[in-house]
Amino acid sequence: MEDIILPDEITISTGSSPRDLVIISQPKMGKSVIFGDFSVKYNGIVLNLEKGGYEYIDARKIDVHTEGLTDDVDAFFNYIKIRKKLLAEKGKYDVLLVDGLSDLDRMSELGGTLAYMDTIIGRRFNQIDPNNKSKSAPKYKPKDSGFKSVLTLPDGAGYKHTRDWFLDQIRIFRQISPYRIYAAHIVDKYIKDKLRDEVVGQEILLTGRLKNIFASKVTALGKLIADGSDKRSINFDVLNDSIIAGSRAPFLKGKIPISEKQADDSVETFWENIFDEDLLLKIK
């Protein structure tokens, strides 16, 4: 093993495009159109975890909720198949656009439950006969009436497993594509006491501690906002203590225009305001 040489020189920063960008918005703000346009212009794919949203939008996309799937359990296992295929062909797309994180969080309850059942401590969880000590003892399946969520564990212990499953997906997404763009919804942040019930800000719609943990792992978070009826911007300014904005990239600050509706009702996007133009030319 080579000796470690401690540096004397200053390493100049080379980051000019966000590796992980989170765009947070209220519903019906035009986020799907903006994502779809990226996938048309550049080598990206939208992994659509929502029910619908892209049927009227031009996009390179793959839907988890496809026609014929009867419920969220079927959609979960379809997601697993799609994820495995994307991972098997990692690097096929330069940018993975995940829409959205709140839906992935909902999937984490089943994902975390199945992951817990694969651990030593959880191997008898959802076992049909709890007295059967065989490693191959039959277990309830997700659609069975006797199937229990990991969130039924006492003292909130199950949330660790749902968080771990969610963060495992983020690690897998980083293997699939060198750049990731995520969409998420917003929820109001309240202060509640005996005298008042006051909105003090807004947060990412993720469960419990997950919002803080996830926010610490990404390059930039911005809120999609309206500039009049036809223009949209991403606001990277941090307001009060809301976890809806902020950036490690110094060039992503303030309000940055991202789209504008044209006279013919088409939408022009300005991704060159977010990503380095040389990168965009490379992945066009």
Side-chain angles (χ1 to χ4, degrees), residues 16-279:
S16 57
S17 294
R19 289 284 183 177
D20 291 283
L21 169 65
V22 184
I23 300 177
I24 308 160
S25 73
Q26 301 283 6
K28 311 302 181 185
M29 283 287 292
K31 166 263 303 170
S32 298
V33 173
I34 295 170
F35 272 39
D37 189 68
F38 186 100
S39 73
V40 171
K41 288 181 176 177
Y42 307 108
N43 181 33
I45 186 169
V46 177
L47 174 57
N48 181 28
L49 305 180
E50 295 185 333
K51 293 181 180 179
Y54 284 86
E55 57 265 53
Y56 304 110
I57 297 171
D58 293 339
R60 181 187 294 112
K61 64 183 176 70
I62 187 162
D63 293 304
V64 167
H65 293 270
T66 56
E67 186 177 353
L69 295 185
T70 57
D71 55 30
D72 289 342
V73 172
D74 291 331
F76 172 87
F77 287 108
N78 194 39
Y79 161 75
I80 297 298
K81 289 168 58 178
I82 292 169
R83 188 201 66 191
K84 287 181 178 178
K85 181 64 175 177
L86 288 168
L87 188 58
E89 299 190 35
K90 59 185 178 181
K92 178 178 175 66
Y93 306 105
D94 291 292
V95 182
L96 177 67
L97 300 100
V98 180
D99 193 356
L101 290 177
S102 304
D103 300 274
L104 188 68
D105 190 15
R106 282 191 289 273
M107 285 185 180
S108 71
E109 183 172 355
L110 178 52
T113 301
L114 296 175
Y116 177 66
M117 290 166 62
D118 279 339
T119 65
I120 294 176
I121 193 173
R123 68 180 183 271
R124 292 185 186 170
F125 192 73
N126 276 319
Q127 189 170 296
I128 296 174
D129 179 4
N131 297 316
N132 188 336
K133 297 183 180 181
S134 170
K135 291 183 179 180
S136 58
K139 296 182 178 181
Y140 289 112
K141 296 178 180 179
K143 289 189 180 183
D144 293 341
S145 60
F147 186 85
K148 295 185 299 182
S149 165
V150 71
L151 297 182
T152 61
L153 292 175
D155 302 320
Y159 284 104
K160 174 190 183 304
H161 303 283
T162 60
R163 283 195 304 269
D164 287 349
W165 184 88
F166 180 100
L167 295 172
D168 280 344
Q169 309 316 297
I170 302 303
R171 285 188 281 270
I172 292 170
F173 294 156
R174 289 175 175 171
Q175 297 176 56
I176 290 171
S177 296
Y179 296 89
R180 286 77 50 186
I181 306 175
Y182 301 98
H185 291 306
I186 288 172
V187 62
D188 287 334
K189 182 177 180 179
Y190 288 90
I191 286 180
K192 295 185 178 182
D193 58 31
K194 294 180 179 179
L195 300 177
R196 60 178 178 165
D197 185 353
E198 180 182 353
V199 177
V200 296
Q202 292 179 315
E203 296 180 322
I204 309 171
L205 184 55
L206 293 175
T207 303
R209 291 173 53 202
L210 181 59
K211 61 174 70 72
N212 301 75
I213 295 171
F214 175 74
S216 71
K217 294 180 179 295
V218 300
T219 307
L221 298 98
K223 182 181 178 181
L224 187 65
I225 60 174
D227 290 330
S229 59
D230 296 334
K231 297 179 182 180
R232 298 290 183 268
S233 295
I234 303 176
N235 187 7
F236 291 98
D237 283 342
V238 179
L239 303 175
N240 53 56
D241 60 349
S242 297
I243 311 174
I244 61 168
S247 173
R248 291 192 179 96
F251 54 89
L252 294 179
K253 58 184 179 180
K255 293 196 305 182
I256 298 179
I258 189 63
S259 71
E260 182 174 359
K261 183 182 286 188
Q262 305 300 297
D264 61 358
D265 283 338
S266 64
V267 173
E268 182 179 0
T269 58
F270 312 114
W271 286 103
E272 64 274 13
N273 292 340
I274 305 296
F275 291 94
D276 182 79
E277 290 194 46
D278 289 338
L279 172 66

